[in-house]
Amino acid sequence: MYRPDALNRRSGYRYQQLEQWLWEGIQTQRWRPGERLPSIRALCESTGCSRATVQHALHRLEARGVLEARPRSGYFVCLLSGSEPPVHTEPELDTPRPATTSDLFRDLMQRSAAFDLLPEASSEPLSPGLVGLGRSIARALRRSTTQLHDHYDAPAGDLGLRTELARLYARRGWPARAEAFCITQGCQHALSLALQACCEPGDLVAVESPGFYGTLQLLEQLGLKVIEVPSHSRYGLDVEQLAHTLARWPVKACVFSAAFSTPAGGCLPDQARQRLLALAGAHDLALIEDDIYAETAFVQPPDPLKALDTEDRVILCSSFSKALSRDLRLGWIAGGRWHDRIVQLKLVTQLASSRFVQQGVAHFIADGGLATHLRRQRQQLRQQRDQLIQQLRDWPVPVRMSMPEGGLALWVELESGQDCLALYQKALAEGIVVTPGPLFSTSNGFRHCLRISFAHPWNEARRAALRDLSGLCCGG
Amino acid sequence: MYRPDALNRRSGYRYQQLEQWLWEGIQTQRWRPGERLPSIRALCESTGCSRATVQHALHRLEARGVLEARPRSGYFVCLLSGSEPPVHTEPELDTPRPATTSDLFRDLMQRSAAFDLLPEASSEPLSPGLVGLGRSIARALRRSTTQLHDHYDAPAGDLGLRTELARLYARRGWPARAEAFCITQGCQHALSLALQACCEPGDLVAVESPGFYGTLQLLEQLGLKVIEVPSHSRYGLDVEQLAHTLARWPVKACVFSAAFSTPAGGCLPDQARQRLLALAGAHDLALIEDDIYAETAFVQPPDPLKALDTEDRVILCSSFSKALSRDLRLGWIAGGRWHDRIVQLKLVTQLASSRFVQQGVAHFIADGGLATHLRRQRQQLRQQRDQLIQQLRDWPVPVRMSMPEGGLALWVELESGQDCLALYQKALAEGIVVTPGPLFSTSNGFRHCLRISFAHPWNEARRAALRDLSGLCCGG
């Protein structure tokens, strides 16, 4: 069963090699969902690893929600989709095109941004984290001075908040300085500043496919051309495919996520990261990293690509909207070599951000409120993801789905005849919001795909909505 | 002394006619600063008005800070600049040019936005209005729900706040619907959306000269061309001059203020308003109305031009930054025929605004907090303006100045040899911030002019700073 060469060829620590090998075994159905893994002793013997190494790897897979430890029975494979996650390469993608999107697209963008299957049914009590956040902002308001109300904030934002951001990123492998950040009105605003800073109208921008619809809208707004590069639901952006694209077309910038790219949900492996940076250097590319989902990681947020950026060509964009609150309207951008231009763009288009909100959030982070909130939320998100998977496996139609280790949604592939745009309309009539696949590309592809959120607790109303949705699939 | 025809030709109520006639008499030095006006009886006799009418007009002029009532002595002309306010028409203005601005310009923009002569010395206690505002926002935070934190606000903004805005404008002659407004991140953001909605890169935009530097920066950012039209320190935009410009050049939009245009401080008279709207109709012009200073009016905020806009071609832009708090980062835009496009632009570039802030401000307005705050602030601003005028009249160098009935600053003209850019640099070295004239034009003109703020109380430190400034003028 054990192929020593397979393990030895891998990079990283021994326990990481073993973890990856086991993970692949599960993905390729060597061990099926619900099945028991070989015992620790058997694994030690077959792999030549020490007991400690095997246990370490098993613990990590358990923490990732891949394995479940049952007392006195051993490790079992958890809920997993029974097949490889969908990867789409549409041949006609590899051509530049103007980024144009329809009115329907705009309508969808607004509805889908809430990540709620049942927008009308949300009535959960405020989480302790959000109560604490509110208190922190109220305190900042009480402590505010005439000075604060009479003057605008510095264009780059409150130094206290930027310092906390630097600390957060230091824990993720990037020893950032506070001065590297500029506070924005959210991640969409950050992406908008990033694209304006490194592109001129008419320039060509590479994006993931499927990829974030907000980026496609921005490209259209800014008069930029787009070329789509496939994105894998486990490994993210297909960097080799990007290399082909760069060889053929004069691409100016690439927008991607290294962590839980939406909608496919993949994370860039180490090797792809190095290759991406090398390509960017060779082709003088700006790398716009959308980091917004990193802190939703069920286990450990992946490091940002920015951590490896020795040439200052990664523009990191993120916000608190996915991991904390969409209503803060606080994001940030670390613009590398484009930092000054970005701050200037922000100054000219909206002067400043709100300091009392920034100071309230900075105190909330410094007091440990954010860390506590994220810990609680991660457990909850993983549970909600598992519940969604369980429900989708009971659907009366064949369903393939991604298996993200973070983020807020599954990428779901129905049979090729299914029309998810029609499904979207039918569901909407019932008050149910899904995000149809075509929203994530300018190619009109992904018609049989949809994104389904697990951002909210599966109360009875949402469970019923999901059942209704499956009924609509059958009817369609 | 009284010319009946002059009074009879005027529109409005009798007391308004009389008020205007007296005001003009003061402006034309028929009655000089410090001089006593004719008695009420004498005015009744010479004008044929009733005692009640004369008293009404005198009370209004007293309320405007033009007259001062001394017990048992009569009405005296208050502090006024002894001469006509400066009006600049630079012949070379009337040519389109690319809107380019220097790095110095950018530096100035940030410093000058605070409107404080002495940014380091601000230590006034929080005003009761701002304390109330803070409480209102904190209450909105406490009442916030999971729903609020999990979902983005509607792109056009919170309906409660938009309803309050509609009520505010109804009191200023414009019976607006809440749906006419889109909430923005401030007035600069509103102006940015307005220009993007009605112009394409390369289009020509008319602005006031001197005019708001933020607009000039935006035009550069958006790749627009600019043409400057003189702005009068009493009557605002020179609409007849604009007519000449429109006859010669393909102007697409005009940015102006009908109320206390910065820096000159003028307000558009009724006749000019009608003419401006007629010109806009004839030349298919978008009128971008910057309404940000209206609520700083010492007496009554002038109606917006938007109130007369039957063709939906006025885009009204404003925010709470001048009249309430710069740290709210809340503005609004009423985009007329461009409304949908503006909401779409906002959605794509930053999704949404913060609802708890909007709801807090909406409650603050509904509870009467804003009205109370504005009443108190108006008195204070008028007093601070008068104190600034008094101090400037004692300067050892000749000074001419505007006499605005609102706004936050005086427009000051020194002798033509003075170099206010050099003065700015010298003052900055002392920690004193003035805004040099060249910032308000792309022509490099207005070099002997500067804007001096009266937004903050004249404590001893600011008085000393102003004395130091006059010393620097002498030295220059």
Side-chain angles (χ1 to χ4, degrees):
Chain A
M1 180 190 283
Y2 171 59
R3 296 163 303 168
D5 61 320
L7 210 53
N8 285 332
R9 265 208 326 271
R10 297 166 192 276
S11 64
Y13 289 109
R14 196 80 180 158
Y15 72 87
Q16 289 172 324
Q17 299 168 8
L18 182 62
E19 177 187 351
Q20 182 62 22
W21 178 73
L22 287 168
W23 165 249
E24 286 173 14
I26 290 162
Q27 286 297 306
T28 54
Q29 310 248 344
R30 180 179 305 159
W31 301 291
R32 288 164 184 276
E35 203 173 295
R36 197 172 75 96
L37 237 61
S39 69
I40 293 177
R41 182 187 299 175
L43 284 170
C44 288
E45 283 170 12
S46 64
T47 63
C49 295
S50 73
R51 188 176 178 85
T53 300
V54 170
Q55 277 180 328
H56 197 166
L58 290 171
H59 286 160
R60 285 171 62 91
L61 286 167
E62 186 189 1
R64 283 168 63 186
V66 174
L67 296 180
E68 183 189 348
R70 297 192 192 151
R72 277 179 299 275
S73 305
Y75 284 87
F76 288 77
V77 179
C78 283
L79 282 170
L80 284 172
S81 65
S83 57
E84 271 293 287
V87 182
H88 303 275
T89 50
E90 307 214 357
E92 78 274 28
L93 285 184
D94 192 23
T95 317
R97 62 184 85 202
T100 53
T101 52
S102 66
D103 288 345
L104 174 63
F105 199 106
R106 288 175 190 132
D107 181 53
L108 289 171
M109 177 170 169
Q110 173 54 16
R111 290 183 203 277
S112 303
F115 274 94
D116 196 345
L117 195 67
L118 215 56
E120 301 305 318
S122 195
S123 58
E124 289 81 30
L126 212 52
S127 76
L130 290 174
V131 172
L133 174 66
R135 267 198 223 108
S136 207
I137 295 173
R139 200 178 313 128
L141 265 168
R142 278 198 307 277
R143 290 183 187 164
S144 70
T145 58
T146 305
Q147 174 85 9
L148 188 110
H149 288 284
D150 277 357
H151 294 72
Y152 294 103
D153 185 29
D158 181 72
L159 194 60
L161 179 58
R162 291 154 75 204
T163 303
E164 292 304 327
L165 288 176
R167 289 196 187 125
L168 290 178
Y169 277 100
R171 267 174 243 138
R172 289 177 55 206
W174 178 38
R177 293 174 314 115
E179 290 73 21
F181 296 93
C182 172
I183 302 299
T184 69
Q185 168 86 344
C187 192
Q188 184 77 7
H189 184 213
L191 291 169
S192 160
L193 294 173
L195 285 165
Q196 286 177 75
C198 64
C199 295
E200 301 285 327
D203 279 351
L204 183 57
V205 177
V207 300
E208 292 181 77
S209 183
F212 176 48
Y213 44 78
T215 302
L216 298 177
Q217 282 264 291
L218 260 177
L219 295 175
E220 178 184 10
Q221 179 51 47
L222 298 171
L224 296 164
K225 288 206 288 287
V226 65
I227 190 157
E228 302 190 17
V229 178
S231 183
H232 190 282
S233 59
R234 196 173 326 137
Y235 306 118
L237 180 74
D238 185 334
V239 178
E240 287 316 313
Q241 193 61 41
L242 176 69
H244 289 297
T245 301
L246 293 176
R248 286 178 62 196
W249 305 105
V251 175
K252 206 63 177 287
C254 174
V255 186
F256 70 99
S257 284
F260 318 117
S261 184
T262 201
C267 292
L268 268 191
D270 286 349
Q271 214 178 348
R273 289 166 179 247
Q274 295 293 356
R275 176 87 165 115
L276 182 55
L277 285 167
L279 283 170
H283 293 270
D284 195 20
L285 204 63
L287 293 175
I288 301 177
E289 177 173 22
D290 181 348
D291 193 44
I292 196 166
Y293 289 103
E295 293 284 3
T296 62
F298 302 157
V299 186
Q300 178 74 25
D303 290 352
L305 183 71
K306 183 78 187 159
L308 304 172
D309 176 30
T310 54
E311 293 185 12
D312 254 8
R313 51 172 82 249
V314 176
I315 306 179
L316 181 129
C317 301
S318 193
S319 91
F320 293 112
S321 293
K322 304 304 181 211
L324 185 56
S325 164
R326 288 165 183 67
D327 204 45
L328 282 177
R329 311 310 307 128
L330 271 189
W332 55 90
I333 182 167
R337 57 176 75 179
W338 295 276
H339 175 78
D340 289 348
R341 183 157 161 66
I342 284 165
V343 174
Q344 172 58 17
L345 274 165
K346 180 194 167 188
L347 172 62
V348 171
T349 52
Q350 45 188 245
L351 276 183
S353 308
S354 186
R355 250 177 312 177
F356 73 85
V357 180
Q358 294 177 73
Q359 291 175 355
V361 174
H363 295 151
F364 180 69
I365 300 173
D367 292 350
L370 179 65
T372 309
H373 167 82
L374 291 177
R375 251 196 318 277
R376 189 181 298 114
Q377 182 174 260
R378 274 169 195 157
Q379 287 186 352
Q380 213 173 338
L381 285 175
R382 185 165 67 184
Q383 194 182 11
Q384 286 163 200
R385 179 203 64 169
D386 289 346
Q387 289 166 341
L388 174 57
I389 291 171
Q390 184 80 70
Q391 291 171 84
L392 287 174
R393 302 184 97 210
D394 291 340
W395 272 26
V397 291
V399 168
R400 300 170 72 210
M401 62 194 101
S402 62
M403 177 62 52
E405 297 291 310
L408 301 177
L410 293 190
W411 180 236
V412 173
E413 191 179 8
L414 303 175
E415 282 184 304
S416 61
Q418 292 275 3
D419 178 358
C420 290
L421 275 179
L423 178 65
Y424 165 79
Q425 295 288 9
K426 280 188 277 184
L428 202 58
E430 313 281 329
I432 303 167
V433 175
V434 293
T435 321
L439 188 58
F440 299 98
S441 168
T442 61
S443 72
N444 207 21
F446 305 117
R447 239 187 139 83
H448 61 305
C449 300
L450 68 163
R451 191 182 73 177
I452 303 182
S453 161
F454 54 79
H456 303 276
W458 290 105
N459 58 18
E460 198 34 60
R462 288 202 185 87
R463 282 182 184 276
L466 201 58
R467 279 193 301 273
D468 291 349
L469 192 64
S470 76
L472 293 173
C473 283
C474 289
Chain B
M1 182 188 282
Y2 171 58
R3 297 164 302 167
D5 60 322
L7 209 53
N8 286 332
R9 265 209 326 270
R10 296 165 191 277
S11 64
Y13 289 109
R14 196 78 180 158
Y15 71 87
Q16 289 172 324
Q17 299 169 7
L18 182 62
E19 177 188 352
Q20 182 61 23
W21 178 72
L22 287 168
W23 166 248
E24 285 174 15
I26 291 162
Q27 287 298 305
T28 56
Q29 311 247 345
R30 179 179 304 156
W31 301 290
R32 288 165 183 276
E35 201 174 296
R36 197 173 75 96
L37 237 59
S39 68
I40 293 176
R41 183 188 298 175
L43 283 171
C44 288
E45 282 170 10
S46 66
T47 63
C49 295
S50 73
R51 187 176 178 84
T53 300
V54 171
Q55 276 182 327
H56 197 168
L58 290 171
H59 286 159
R60 285 172 60 91
L61 286 167
E62 186 189 2
R64 283 168 64 186
V66 174
L67 296 179
E68 185 189 345
R70 295 190 192 153
R72 277 178 300 277
S73 304
Y75 284 86
F76 288 76
V77 179
C78 281
L79 282 171
L80 285 172
S81 64
S83 56
E84 272 294 287
V87 183
H88 303 273
T89 49
E90 308 214 355
E92 78 273 29
L93 286 184
D94 192 23
T95 318
R97 63 185 84 202
T100 53
T101 52
S102 68
D103 287 345
L104 174 63
F105 199 106
R106 287 174 190 133
D107 181 52
L108 290 171
M109 176 170 169
Q110 172 54 16
R111 291 182 201 277
S112 303
F115 274 93
D116 196 344
L117 195 67
L118 215 56
E120 301 304 318
S122 194
S123 59
E124 288 82 29
L126 212 51
S127 75
L130 290 174
V131 171
L133 173 67
R135 267 199 223 107
S136 205
I137 294 173
R139 199 179 313 128
L141 264 167
R142 277 199 307 278
R143 290 183 186 163
S144 70
T145 59
T146 304
Q147 173 85 10
L148 188 111
H149 288 284
D150 277 356
H151 294 72
Y152 293 104
D153 185 29
D158 182 73
L159 195 60
L161 179 58
R162 292 154 74 206
T163 303
E164 292 303 328
L165 289 176
R167 288 196 187 125
L168 289 177
Y169 278 100
R171 267 174 243 137
R172 290 177 55 207
W174 178 38
R177 292 174 314 115
E179 290 73 22
F181 296 93
C182 172
I183 302 299
T184 69
Q185 168 87 342
C187 192
Q188 185 77 8
H189 183 213
L191 291 169
S192 159
L193 294 172
L195 285 165
Q196 286 178 74
C198 64
C199 295
E200 301 285 328
D203 280 350
L204 182 57
V205 178
V207 301
E208 294 181 77
S209 183
F212 176 46
Y213 44 78
T215 302
L216 298 177
Q217 283 265 291
L218 260 178
L219 296 176
E220 178 184 11
Q221 179 51 48
L222 298 171
L224 296 164
K225 287 206 286 288
V226 66
I227 191 158
E228 301 189 18
V229 178
S231 183
H232 190 281
S233 60
R234 198 174 324 136
Y235 306 117
L237 179 74
D238 186 333
V239 178
E240 287 316 311
Q241 193 61 43
L242 176 67
H244 289 297
T245 301
L246 293 176
R248 285 180 62 196
W249 306 105
V251 175
K252 205 65 176 288
C254 175
V255 187
F256 70 99
S257 284
F260 318 118
S261 184
T262 201
C267 293
L268 269 191
D270 287 349
Q271 214 179 345
R273 289 167 179 246
Q274 295 293 356
R275 176 85 165 117
L276 182 55
L277 285 167
L279 283 171
H283 292 271
D284 195 20
L285 204 63
L287 293 176
I288 301 177
E289 176 172 22
D290 181 348
D291 193 44
I292 197 167
Y293 289 102
E295 293 282 4
T296 61
F298 302 156
V299 185
Q300 177 76 24
D303 291 352
L305 184 71
K306 183 79 187 159
L308 305 171
D309 175 29
T310 53
E311 292 185 12
D312 255 7
R313 51 171 81 248
V314 177
I315 306 179
L316 181 131
C317 300
S318 193
S319 90
F320 293 112
S321 293
K322 303 304 181 210
L324 184 57
S325 165
R326 288 165 183 67
D327 204 44
L328 283 176
R329 311 312 305 130
L330 271 188
W332 55 90
I333 183 167
R337 59 176 74 179
W338 294 276
H339 175 77
D340 289 348
R341 184 156 161 66
I342 284 166
V343 174
Q344 171 58 19
L345 274 166
K346 180 194 167 189
L347 171 63
V348 170
T349 53
Q350 46 188 245
L351 276 184
S353 308
S354 187
R355 251 178 310 178
F356 73 85
V357 180
Q358 293 177 75
Q359 290 175 354
V361 174
H363 294 153
F364 181 69
I365 300 173
D367 292 350
L370 178 64
T372 308
H373 167 82
L374 291 177
R375 252 195 317 276
R376 189 180 299 114
Q377 182 174 260
R378 274 167 195 157
Q379 287 186 354
Q380 214 173 339
L381 285 175
R382 185 165 68 185
Q383 195 183 9
Q384 287 162 198
R385 179 202 65 168
D386 289 348
Q387 288 167 341
L388 175 56
I389 290 171
Q390 183 81 69
Q391 290 170 86
L392 288 175
R393 301 184 97 209
D394 292 339
W395 272 26
V397 291
V399 168
R400 300 170 71 210
M401 63 193 101
S402 62
M403 177 61 52
E405 297 291 309
L408 301 177
L410 293 191
W411 180 236
V412 173
E413 192 180 7
L414 303 175
E415 283 184 304
S416 60
Q418 293 274 3
D419 177 359
C420 289
L421 275 179
L423 178 64
Y424 164 79
Q425 295 288 8
K426 281 189 277 184
L428 202 58
E430 312 283 327
I432 303 168
V433 175
V434 293
T435 321
L439 188 58
F440 300 98
S441 168
T442 60
S443 73
N444 207 20
F446 306 116
R447 238 187 140 83
H448 62 304
C449 299
L450 69 163
R451 190 181 74 177
I452 303 182
S453 161
F454 54 78
H456 303 276
W458 291 105
N459 57 19
E460 197 34 59
R462 288 202 186 88
R463 283 183 184 277
L466 200 58
R467 278 194 301 273
D468 291 349
L469 191 65
S470 77
L472 293 173
C473 283
C474 289

